[in-house]
Amino acid sequence: MAAALQLQTHPCFHGTCQLSPPPRPSVSFPSSSRSFPSSRRSLSAHVKAAASSLSTTTLQEGIAEFYDQSSGIWEDIWGDHMHHGYYDPDSNVSGSDHPAAQIRMIEESLRFAGITEDPANKPKTIVDVGCGIGGSSRYLARKYGAKCQGITLSPVQAGRANALAKDQGLADKVSFQVADALNQPFPDDQFDLVWSMESGEHMPDKPKFVKELARVAAPGGTIIIVTWCHRDLGPSEEDLQPWEKKLLNRICNAYYLPEWCSTSDYVKLLQSLSLQDIKAADWTENVAPFWPAVIRSALTWKGFTSLLRSGLKTIKGALVMPLMIQGYQKGVIKFAIITCRKPE
């Protein structure tokens, strides 16, 4: 949800988090794994299909303009983190829980990836791919004392992120720039932690996206991808059902997304690069309260008047928010975390 083509304290900082249930099972994959069902279409044909319908330049411009217009209203209503919150399934959630749930999403992602807090092994250099206004970067810099660099397609986001870093006394730790996640302005083997919080859905070339994440990761470094996916295809399926594709296309048109891929597609891409300790999990149940809360915030007087001032692209995005809920409820959309480690 933060722009990058790129395009988000403690988990209970606000005192409203509930205790976590036992961890949801995840699936780990050795490099040779073939555990996920696959389509009969080749992987590259499936995940590159969007490039034929919309040029990368046009897509980048649309993403940048969308987040230039919408980031201010998001910050005003929701704060620093432009991503889902992590909730206990079936919990009753009040409005005050949401900022804590967004912090919890960061903490749960780090826990799932096995990021250590051991001073000798904690990440010292981090890249935030799709940084938004820098919420994750500032949080991670404080938590680990790390140097963090963020990239976004939105000049408005990069400027605001740098301003917030300066205001919060973190200008020596974090910095932000406009850059393309498919052609990152960093040397090889640079970062202990490569962080992509809800930016993968904007990438028109998923193989190139994953390859860039792996390229900039330091040997032994961890890659964390948290992203929207469509459901995994069954062994006999060549594609999603027509009604499923129609639903996703309506969301794509509003949020400047290319064709979606599945969690299994990401796993295969990571395997193709010989990355290690590949793990994936479906957190769809854990984010269920998020979009209803966003809709409720848009229906307040503050949210409504802010939407009217923010521009047509933001209004268009707001109008399709119910489709995200529908996609989750019907099992078409999955909220996935995929993590791995670069060989030393």
Side-chain angles (χ1 to χ4, degrees):
M1 294 191 15
L5 209 48
Q6 79 162 334
L7 173 3
Q8 194 119 187
T9 81
H10 184 274
C12 294
F13 177 78
H14 293 267
T16 54
C17 290
Q18 300 180 27
L19 292 177
S20 299
R24 292 172 56 79
S26 62
V27 185
S28 299
F29 307 90
S31 297
S32 61
S33 170
R34 292 292 182 267
S35 299
F36 270 120
S38 61
S39 166
R40 282 181 284 178
R41 286 200 294 170
S42 70
L43 174 68
S44 60
H46 179 67
V47 299
K48 289 184 176 179
S52 63
S53 62
L54 186 66
S55 75
T56 298
T57 300
T58 302
L59 182 63
Q60 288 179 326
E61 290 173 349
I63 293 168
E65 291 172 2
F66 177 79
Y67 286 104
D68 281 350
Q69 289 186 10
S70 64
S71 294
I73 179 175
W74 184 274
E75 181 187 2
D76 192 34
I77 295 175
W78 278 77
D80 284 6
H81 299 284
M82 302 183 70
H83 57 75
H84 284 68
Y86 185 100
Y87 307 85
D88 292 337
D90 303 319
S91 63
N92 293 320
V93 180
S94 69
S96 61
D97 291 316
H98 301 301
Q102 288 176 304
I103 295 296
R104 192 173 175 194
M105 175 62 72
I106 296 174
E107 287 288 347
E108 289 291 333
S109 299
L110 295 168
R111 179 198 59 77
F112 182 85
I115 300 297
T116 180
E117 297 196 28
D118 178 353
N121 296 311
K122 66 183 180 181
K124 299 177 178 62
T125 54
I126 300 170
V127 62
D128 186 351
V129 180
C131 61
I133 58 172
S136 290
S137 297
R138 291 187 295 276
Y139 184 88
L140 294 170
R142 288 192 188 97
K143 180 179 180 68
Y144 296 117
K147 295 277 189 177
C148 189
Q149 298 187 62
I151 58 173
T152 172
L153 287 179
S154 165
V156 170
Q157 286 188 336
R160 181 59 179 156
N162 280 316
L164 287 169
K166 182 178 179 181
D167 291 345
Q168 296 173 20
L170 290 170
D172 63 328
K173 291 286 188 183
V174 296
S175 62
F176 305 92
Q177 62 181 299
V178 175
D180 180 356
L182 301 184
N183 294 284
Q184 295 183 35
F186 308 117
D188 296 354
D189 303 330
Q190 182 79 0
F191 300 102
D192 300 328
L193 175 59
V194 177
W195 177 268
S196 172
M197 176 62 71
E198 297 188 48
S199 62
E201 52 268 23
H202 283 290
M203 308 299 166
D205 189 336
K206 300 297 193 293
K208 190 173 183 181
F209 169 56
V210 170
K211 188 175 181 180
E212 273 293 273
L213 298 182
R215 181 185 67 79
V216 301
T222 298
I223 298 170
I224 298 177
I225 303 169
V226 181
T227 189
W228 313 352
C229 293
H230 68 61
R231 64 174 178 84
D232 288 328
L233 300 179
S236 63
E237 290 184 295
E238 294 187 5
D239 208 341
L240 295 172
Q241 298 298 311
W243 71 267
E244 294 174 314
K245 295 172 70 174
K246 182 177 180 180
L247 173 66
L248 295 183
N249 285 340
R250 291 177 65 188
I251 296 171
C252 289
N253 290 337
Y255 292 139
Y256 296 91
L257 308 178
E259 183 169 308
W260 297 41
C261 71
S262 67
T263 306
S264 63
D265 287 326
Y266 271 110
V267 169
K268 292 170 190 172
L269 288 172
L270 296 173
Q271 290 170 345
S272 74
L273 298 172
S274 299
L275 295 164
Q276 299 177 344
D277 301 333
I278 301 170
K279 298 193 301 178
D282 179 359
W283 283 358
T284 305
E285 290 185 10
N286 299 98
V287 302
F290 179 75
W291 283 99
V294 175
I295 292 173
R296 287 194 298 271
S297 70
L299 296 177
T300 63
W301 177 251
K302 181 179 181 180
F304 180 73
T305 55
S306 297
L307 269 176
L308 292 180
R309 293 194 300 268
S310 64
L312 291 176
K313 286 182 171 63
T314 305
I315 293 171
K316 185 178 178 181
L319 292 175
V320 302
M321 290 190 293
L323 297 182
M324 288 295 297
I325 298 175
Q326 183 180 346
Y328 279 135
Q329 290 176 339
K330 293 190 173 184
V332 184
I333 299 176
K334 298 294 182 179
F335 190 90
I337 181 168
I338 310 103
T339 67
C340 63
R341 185 174 59 83
K342 186 172 180 175
E344 295 191 35

